[in-house]
Amino acid sequence: MPSTALTGPTSSTPTGDAAQIEKLFADFMAAWTAGDAQAFGALFTDDSDYVSYDGTIARGRRTHQHNHDKLFRGVLAGSALVGDLESVRHLTPDVAIVYGTASVLMPWRSMLPKRRLSRQTIVVVRTDAGWKIGAIHNGRVRPVTVPEPDSFPSTMSQLMARAARRLGLGRR
């Protein structure tokens, strides 16, 4: 099991909550790795949202379970989800934001390609059945630096904008 580091204002919440949220993240990866769509779906609230790395959105626990059943029996059969919990920050005693990094390790690979790393932003909520995932957004980690205003990309963008305005193109 990967190491986890909890940061943020977790010290102001009961220790049990931090452990339960850490377990939820570990269960998320374990259910995926086991190819168990039912266990995977059980980690979500009935009205949860799931935004995939490509920006598509699925709504509802049943949809997540159905989609992942197809994936686990199809293109992701035998894959493992590996990663780390980065931080937990409580917004209220019953709602927290969880950041993690994880990647799908395909069965024919022994190491993850760097370009496959994704960051998960997960909203977890306390329910009568314990902590569940209310929303997740999974995005690829591909950092882009912000260009300086006088850099080549910025200068070219400004030139293109002026040319477009002169030609009557684009936003007015």
Side-chain angles (χ1 to χ4, degrees):
M1 179 181 284
S3 65
T4 57
L6 300 180
T7 59
T10 56
S11 59
S12 64
T13 61
T15 305
D17 285 348
Q20 290 171 21
I21 292 169
E22 185 174 349
K23 183 178 181 320
L24 177 64
F25 189 81
D27 290 348
F28 179 76
M29 292 195 296
W32 182 296
T33 301
D36 188 340
Q38 187 171 354
F40 187 81
L43 302 172
F44 292 84
T45 63
D46 288 340
D47 62 348
S48 54
D49 295 324
Y50 192 115
V51 179
S52 295
Y53 74 93
D54 66 353
T56 58
I57 188 166
R59 299 191 190 280
R61 183 194 62 74
R62 287 185 189 168
T63 301
H64 312 325
Q65 183 172 325
H66 172 76
N67 289 347
H68 283 80
D69 178 59
K70 288 173 31 179
L71 291 168
F72 295 156
R73 291 184 300 114
V75 297
L76 296 177
S79 67
L81 188 62
V82 296
D84 291 298
L85 181 68
E86 292 181 328
S87 66
V88 175
R89 181 170 60 95
H90 284 267
L91 303 178
T92 73
D94 298 326
V95 178
I97 301 291
V98 175
Y99 290 104
T101 54
S103 294
V104 175
L105 181 62
M106 297 306 289
W108 58 86
R109 294 190 185 275
S110 58
M111 292 177 35
L112 290 170
K114 186 175 180 179
R115 63 184 303 271
R116 301 270 310 172
L117 183 63
S118 292
R119 175 160 287 109
Q120 294 74 40
T121 303
I122 307 168
V123 178
V124 296
V125 295
R126 185 191 316 271
T127 70
D128 292 339
W131 288 93
K132 299 285 183 181
I133 299 169
I136 183 169
H137 185 204
N138 184 23
R140 288 279 194 249
V141 176
R142 301 233 172 90
V144 176
T145 58
V146 177
E148 294 297 325
D150 60 350
S151 69
F152 180 75
S154 295
T155 302
M156 290 307 297
S157 179
Q158 294 162 17
L159 287 171
M160 293 294 291
R162 283 196 293 271
R165 278 193 298 273
R166 286 187 189 138
L167 294 171
L169 301 173
R171 183 177 53 84
R172 294 173 194 225

